[in-house]
Amino acid sequence: MLSNKSCEAFLAVAESGSFEYAAQQLYITASAVTLRVQSLEKDLGKILLLRERPCRVT
């Protein structure tokens, strides 16, 4: 099941291009953003972000 927090973290990273900037926007740590995005990717069975600088949506 998709969680709102995971989707929110994914969108923040997609818009900002950075896990760090997304964490600042969401007032959580970058590692928490990573875990939320990984959870979403696991639930969907797809890689959603290319972990480059800047991050890009697949």
Side-chain angles (χ1 to χ4, degrees), residues 24-49:
Q24 289 174 0
Q25 292 172 355
L26 298 173
Y27 301 103
I28 58 176
T29 64
S31 60
V33 173
T34 300
L35 291 174
R36 289 179 184 184
V37 171
Q38 286 175 342
S39 173
L40 184 60
E41 290 176 330
K42 182 180 176 189
D43 289 346
L44 296 174
K46 303 279 184 195
I47 300 298
L48 301 175
L49 293 168

Side-chain angles (χ1 to χ4, degrees), residues 15-28:
E15 290 173 352
S16 69
S18 166
F19 283 82
E20 291 82 15
Y21 291 139
Q24 289 174 0
Q25 292 172 355
L26 298 173
Y27 301 103
I28 58 176

